[in-house]
Amino acid sequence: MAASKKAVLGPLVGAVDQGTSSTRFLVFNSKTAELLSHHQVEIKQEFPREGWVEQDPKEILHSVYECIEKTCEKLGQLNIDISNIKAIGVSNQRETTVVWDRLTGEPLYNAVVWLDLRTQSTVESLSKRIPGNNNFVKSKTGLPLSTYFSAVKLRWLLDNVRKVQKAVEEKRALFGTIDSWLIWSLTGGVNGGVHCTDVTNASRTMLFNIHSLEWDKQLCEFFGIPMEILPNVRSSSEIYGLMKISHSLKAGALEGVPISGCLGDQSAALVGQMCFQNGQAKNTYGTGCFLLCNTGHKCVFSDHGLLTTVAYKLGRDKPVYYALEGSVAIAGAVIRWLRDNLGIIKTSEEIEKLAKEVGTSYGCYFVPAFSGLYAPYWEPSARGIICGLTQFTNKCHIAFAALEAVCFQTREILDAMNRDCGIPLSHLQVDGGMTSNKILMQLQADILYIPVVKPSMPETTALGAAMAAGAAEGVGVWSLEPEDLSAVTMERFEPQINAEESEIRYSTWKKAVMKSMGWVTTQSPESGIP
């Protein structure tokens, strides 16, 4: 990436990667998949009440503009011509719910983040209305009724926020997940912005039929959602619209570039890891942890608490692929919690140093069920616990236990996936911010007792969005043919402890998980806005 390289060969593709804790804009060479430059901005999370998690949609949008602008400046310093950027892909945190006014472009409430738990009573009252012998919600959507998905968040906003109710009555309201909010804003917003989403994001709303690939009238009636506020559903790789930047930003340099790829972050990582074959799987370590296994053209329903979801559909006339997914709510978020709430580390990177000092949790177990437990338990009453403490326990042991928790949660999902698929994974492909932590990667190999394989370029989520954008019809700068995909260099972590020790630690962890359950018995009042 030396500045002496005057011209970078080949067309470039940009990717917006809008995650729960940060936003990035990255630019790739479409011929080599090499990452040329990027910029990252951390995003604030607001916790107005216990269990509530919100973000400001305008802050999210501005962070995208800032990342685009700064990346373009960096490319300029490298003498790389940004007019070579031929397409932009979007990948995003999924399920996070935004409702905005199509006439003013203003959000009508903060974004309600996927981790948010305020909808627990909404979920309880809805689940009483699902007939026991016919869970039509699960059979149509592949999802269990949970606080995690967008429909219940949208239902809460319709029930509790007067501004949202009024905008819906006056036909001014638009609903979307983060991808829709960004694409609408980036393609002109109030001046002709495109209101759309892709099949992967739609499949996480609980309003989308994953068989017919359309919004489902019965589901919308069940949740009481007016269909006219929903975005148009498109494939994950086609031209949705052109960049139209109303700001006086230097990012205006990308004016007129097509936005032509859109994938929920976990689907994007599956594509970026080149898991195009039935049975290929990847695990992403971000705010949460998400293990997806490609199941090809057929929907596989899980008997072990996994979700059935749309993996991708790379073109309007291309077939849809499905995946089984295991979702862990809290992975990287536990490190952020140790930093921001307990203050035992100043930066997220420090956790590796602390864990290394002791090399063991010394019998301390940490179950970070801050938002209840997701897969394979789906237990909203669970809360975080740290157990097995003695006078000997110090912050290093807690740090180690936090890393171990991420690995144990992954093991629980992998076990479920192996039981559902019948073919145990021989190795695990990993990506995401936490994979730079070598202790974590080694621990993961030890606890799974299979090799963990990590690409040398960890930004696979953004890469997946870039691939989808570059391969879109009418752009055509990125080939998805297996023989054209650049070989990725990998780092391998082999298990180093004996299987018996691995099993003992895992069974103790399961004991700890049992202790975290049933913690919250009465629901705290949820109505009303602070």
Side-chain angles (χ1 to χ4, degrees), residues 19-21 45 114-115 285-290 328-334 336:
T20 316
S21 52
Q45 293 179 33
W114 57 279
L115 282 166
Y285 298 76
T287 298
C289 219
F290 300 89
V328 167
I330 304 289
V334 74
R336 198 169 170 163

Side-chain angles (χ1 to χ4, degrees), residues 442-496:
Q442 187 53 54
L443 261 177
Q444 188 67 86
D446 289 346
I447 287 166
L448 295 179
Y449 218 65
I450 56 173
V452 166
V453 180
K454 173 195 155 189
S456 56
M457 200 281 299
E459 300 287 358
T460 43
T461 301
L463 178 61
M467 288 164 67
E473 192 183 331
V475 178
V477 299
W478 205 304
S479 164
L480 297 181
E481 294 306 317
E483 63 274 12
D484 296 330
L485 293 169
S486 355
V488 189
T489 51
M490 298 284 191
E491 188 177 357
R492 274 175 83 90
F493 295 84
E494 301 283 345
Q496 287 177 356

Side-chain angles (χ1 to χ4, degrees), residues 97-241:
T97 301
V98 190
V99 181
W100 67 95
D101 185 321
R102 66 184 175 83
L103 301 180
T104 64
E106 290 295 311
L108 296 164
Y109 189 76
N110 267 345
V112 180
V113 177
W114 57 279
L115 282 166
D116 186 280
L117 285 177
R118 77 187 65 185
T119 52
Q120 192 47 46
S121 60
T122 313
V123 167
E124 281 159 17
S125 61
L126 285 166
S127 59
K128 293 192 181 91
R129 292 175 33 214
I130 297 179
N133 57 352
N134 168 26
N135 188 343
F136 66 94
V137 177
K138 182 138 198 234
S139 59
K140 286 179 178 219
T141 64
L143 311 172
L145 193 53
S146 157
T147 57
Y148 180 19
F149 307 106
S150 316
V152 288
K153 302 179 195 299
L154 184 50
R155 182 66 261 155
W156 186 92
L157 290 168
L158 292 167
D159 289 338
N160 292 284
V161 183
R162 184 66 198 123
K163 275 169 82 173
V164 171
Q165 295 159 352
K166 202 162 166 330
V168 169
E169 286 156 21
E170 295 170 10
K171 307 248 182 281
R172 293 182 284 112
L174 295 179
F175 152 79
T177 40
I178 296 294
D179 55 309
S180 301
W181 163 242
L182 293 180
I183 291 173
W184 184 82
S185 303
L186 293 171
T187 54
V190 292
N191 304 311
V194 177
H195 188 217
C196 70
T197 186
D198 89 300
V199 288
T200 68
N201 281 296
S203 79
R204 313 295 292 191
T205 58
M206 267 198 144
L207 301 170
F208 185 70
N209 186 317
I210 60 173
H211 311 284
S212 68
L213 302 184
E214 288 169 337
W215 297 122
D216 189 287
K217 201 160 171 298
Q218 185 190 9
L219 290 170
C220 290
E221 279 165 10
F222 175 71
F223 288 104
I225 306 295
M227 290 183 86
E228 64 271 13
I229 72 174
L230 303 178
N232 287 322
V233 183
R234 315 273 285 269
S235 77
S236 314
S237 174
E238 60 178 86
I239 295 175
Y240 312 112

